[in-house]
Amino acid sequence: VQLKTTGTYYVKVEDSVDNTKIGEQLGIVVNPGVLDYFTLTGISSPMIAGDQHTVIATAFDANNNIKTDYVGTIAFTSDDPQVVLPANYTYLVGDAGVATFTNAVELRTTGTYFVRVEDTLDGTKYGEQTGLFVNPAAIDHFT
């Protein structure tokens, strides 16, 4: 028996001829597995250069369960050379695998970019938003 979804479950067996013959185990608690990946959501595209975005970084296990016990540290990166990103963040037990960063991401250069979040100890555990198109902001000055 392999239980893959977090929560509390039971396993029951019964005789296929006489369904009064049963056995079951109740209260099986399934916790999340090891960290597998993140999702990063909240950045709209297209956008105007300098728009601020609230992003949510969520940790998951290989069975797509939120890794509610994740307490690692994440780092943000982007290929926008002028991007504003949150500082590294260490999840707290109370985050339950989900961290929100209010008005913390700002792409400033016109073009198409990505924003990535990854575990600082294992860069293969990451999530990203790609294809983020940045339009120029309103005119500021002439040269």
Side-chain angles (χ1 to χ4, degrees), residues 2 28 38 55-56 84 115 128 132:
Q2 185 179 36
I28 303 168
F38 291 90
V55 296
I56 300 170
V84 174
V115 174
E128 61 188 4
L132 299 169

Side-chain angles (χ1 to χ4, degrees), residues 1-2 5 22 29 35 41 54 69 87 89 98 101 110 125 138 143:
V1 174
Q2 185 179 36
T5 306
I22 61 170
V29 176
L35 177 66
T41 59
T54 296
D69 58 353
Y89 178 75
V98 181
F101 304 87
T110 57
K125 311 299 186 200
T143 58

Side-chain angles (χ1 to χ4, degrees), residues 27-123:
I28 303 168
V29 176
V30 179
N31 293 313
V34 299
L35 177 66
D36 190 59
Y37 68 95
F38 291 90
T39 58
L40 184 65
T41 59
I43 304 173
S44 60
S45 181
M47 72 187 79
I48 303 298
D51 284 354
Q52 294 181 330
H53 298 272
T54 296
V55 296
I56 300 170
T58 306
F60 287 89
D61 70 9
N63 292 308
N64 302 314
N65 297 300
I66 295 176
K67 182 128 177 72
T68 54
D69 58 353
Y70 179 70
V71 289
T73 301
I74 57 170
F76 288 84
T77 59
S78 175
D79 56 347
D80 176 348
Q82 298 185 81
V83 71
V84 174
L85 296 169
N88 289 6
Y89 178 75
T90 301
Y91 279 70
L92 305 172
V93 171
D95 291 331
V98 181
T100 301
F101 304 87
T102 304
N103 295 329
V105 173
E106 185 178 322
L107 293 129
R108 295 181 169 181
T109 309
T110 57
T112 304
Y113 301 99
F114 71 84
V115 174
R116 173 184 255 194
V117 61
E118 65 185 41
D119 183 272
T120 58
L121 296 179
D122 184 352

